[in-house]
Amino acid sequence: MDDLNTLREELMAAVNGATDTAALEEARISALGKKGRLSVMMKGLGAMDPEERKSMGQALNALKTEVADAIESAKTALENAELDAGLDADAVDVTLPVRPQTEGRIHPISQTIDEITAILGEMSFTVAEGPDIEDDWHNFTALNIPPDHPARQEHDTFYLPGEQDGERMVLRTHTSPVQIRTMQNGEPPFRIIVPGRTYRCDYDATHSPMFHQVEGLLIDEAIHMGHLKGCLIEFCRAFFDMDDLPVRFRASYFPFTEPSAEVDIGCTREGGQFRIGHGDDWLEILGCGMVNPKVLENCGIDPVKYQGFAFGMGVERLAMLKYGIPDLRTFYETDLRWLKHYGFSALDMPSMVGGLNR
Ligand code: DAH
């Protein structure tokens, strides 16, 4: 019985000394597990004489119950303590200041392209795309750009080294080649706009070697200059959000249109202050014209049956005018402070439903 007392003390010490549920489980196994000390002693009962077996059996059973009860209450206590510790560790301190908001901004170029697309999308134009690396034919020849045109010269255009299919390739100098690709690959009528990157050897406060344009093309039967004017006047007034914005068409020249025009909007430049709207001055904002019959023929389209108009605008220039951005080079400097100032919230997507939302 002395042995049993010692065993009792040892087992209870192990149970009460367990500092976490894993240690407690170990104590349980070493006492009550299959090969635990109490289980082994229970097995030894069979070899005892009946008298001894009875008293030893009772004592062992009592000890077993005592140990099991002690394990159970220790387990509850340890589980509660572990739960409390977990809750403490995960506690949210509601007095901490909120984290700074890190909402991204939409770049003014993307915003401006989205706005142009929203306005012209309302007039049923769909977006078309083409490659940045063009061949000479799509970029120049098919657009009726003559061999001596300045755009073809080394110092104006980025030519790629080497040749592809016996031809030297260019970084497209405008988005107009996508007119050609669209007309070659489909059947009229066409009503597309082409936002995209364009490239020229130029660098100053209003020019960058890479910039963006949106080209427009509408081809159908019985299209005339009135359609061109209506479409672009409507566009300018929606884009600058001014119902009575003065818009004028000034005769000009582009090889791919005939007749050609440049579109000016009204402005004032009083006391060094530039303002868009009614005034005594004009500002050129885009080029346009009736598609030259030669261009239609180059694309296999019958110029007697089909006519149409085209236009092209510089995205940076429009963004600078609309949002008062003074230097074009800042568009590409990826300065986050600049983007925070001039950028747009992603939640303010342009829409033409009820006017252009801003
Ligand atoms: N491609 C011209 C340029 O880059 C812009 C342009 C002018 C496009 C008149 C047109 C147009 O489609 O009709 O300067």
Side-chain angles (χ1 to χ4, degrees):
M1 282 297 164
D2 270 358
D3 283 356
L4 219 52
N5 271 337
T6 315
L7 177 63
R8 180 179 173 281
E9 269 166 29
E10 284 174 12
L11 293 181
M12 293 306 264
V15 169
N16 293 327
T19 51
D20 56 31
T21 47
L24 182 65
E25 177 64 4
E26 258 174 47
R28 188 192 67 76
I29 292 168
S30 79
L32 306 174
K34 255 193 194 156
K35 292 178 188 159
R37 293 170 74 184
L38 271 172
S39 313
V40 169
M41 287 184 79
M42 294 290 237
K43 278 184 201 142
L45 288 176
M48 293 178 184
D49 60 55
E51 217 31 48
E52 202 185 356
R53 184 190 305 152
K54 192 177 170 202
S55 64
M56 194 59 172
Q58 277 174 355
L60 277 177
N61 268 329
L63 180 55
K64 194 177 164 190
T65 309
E66 191 186 349
V67 170
D69 287 350
I71 289 173
E72 201 47 45
S73 60
K75 192 175 173 200
T76 310
L78 286 173
E79 278 175 354
N80 282 342
E82 282 171 14
L83 188 64
D84 283 348
L87 287 174
D88 279 349
D90 292 346
V92 176
D93 182 353
V94 293
T95 65
L96 285 176
V98 289
R99 293 206 176 91
Q101 294 282 335
T102 51
E103 185 202 0
R105 308 296 283 172
I106 303 284
H107 194 284
I109 299 277
S110 307
Q111 173 78 14
T112 305
I113 290 177
D114 286 348
E115 288 172 11
I116 297 170
T117 308
I119 297 167
L120 292 165
E122 276 286 298
M123 301 183 203
S124 312
F125 285 86
T126 57
V127 171
E129 287 181 323
D132 286 22
I133 298 175
E134 266 298 2
D135 55 49
D136 184 273
W137 191 79
H138 287 94
N139 196 77
F140 298 123
T141 311
L143 286 159
N144 195 37
I145 296 177
D148 55 352
H149 194 279
R152 285 191 175 235
Q153 280 161 31
E154 300 290 331
H155 56 267
D156 276 327
T157 299
F158 294 110
Y159 286 93
L160 273 72
E163 291 188 345
Q164 203 170 304
D165 299 328
E167 248 198 293
R168 79 182 172 156
M169 305 292 280
V170 296
L171 288 180
R172 66 180 178 191
T173 58
H174 48 182
T175 40
S176 307
V178 185
Q179 281 189 28
I180 304 298
R181 291 184 176 275
T182 303
M183 289 193 280
Q184 275 192 309
N185 295 327
E187 291 294 324
F190 300 105
R191 207 181 263 226
I192 56 148
I193 51 169
V194 186
R197 292 197 181 110
T198 48
Y199 307 85
R200 287 180 206 174
C201 278
D202 239 342
Y203 188 64
D204 60 33
T206 52
H207 295 91
S208 149
M210 188 281 300
F211 59 105
H212 299 76
Q213 284 189 338
V214 176
E215 182 82 11
L217 175 75
L218 188 147
I219 302 289
D220 208 335
E221 293 178 41
I223 298 296
H224 53 72
M225 194 94 183
H227 296 117
L228 160 66
K229 291 181 74 175
C231 170
L232 292 179
I233 291 171
E234 188 66 25
F235 167 77
C236 292
R237 291 181 174 165
F239 181 79
F240 289 104
D241 211 3
M242 229 180 264
D243 286 344
D244 58 350
L245 176 69
V247 179
R248 83 174 178 188
F249 291 74
R250 189 167 32 80
S252 184
Y253 172 78
F254 300 104
F256 32 87
T257 45
E258 183 58 40
S260 304
E262 264 157 330
V263 176
D264 299 339
I265 56 172
C267 67
T268 53
R269 291 186 172 91
E270 269 158 27
Q273 271 271 352
F274 175 79
R275 202 177 294 277
I276 290 171
H278 283 277
D280 53 6
D281 216 342
W282 294 96
L283 181 77
E284 178 210 320
I285 60 158
L286 58 89
C288 62
M290 300 305 292
V291 175
N292 192 316
K294 284 190 194 159
V295 173
L296 294 172
E297 272 167 10
N298 289 340
C299 300
I301 291 174
D302 177 4
V304 177
K305 184 162 181 210
Y306 292 103
Q307 317 75 41
F309 62 84
F311 53 90
M313 56 187 101
V315 177
E316 281 80 350
R317 182 168 167 74
L318 288 177
M320 287 166 82
L321 286 171
K322 182 163 175 178
Y323 297 115
I325 302 171
D327 190 327
L328 179 137
R329 291 169 290 202
T330 56
F331 281 114
Y332 318 110
E333 280 169 359
T334 60
D335 181 336
L336 278 180
R337 292 163 308 174
W338 183 90
L339 195 54
K340 231 179 210 157
H341 181 77
Y342 286 110
F344 295 83
S345 166
L347 300 174
D348 284 339
M349 285 306 287
S351 149
M352 280 301 290
V353 182
L356 197 62
N357 273 337
R358 259 174 292 112

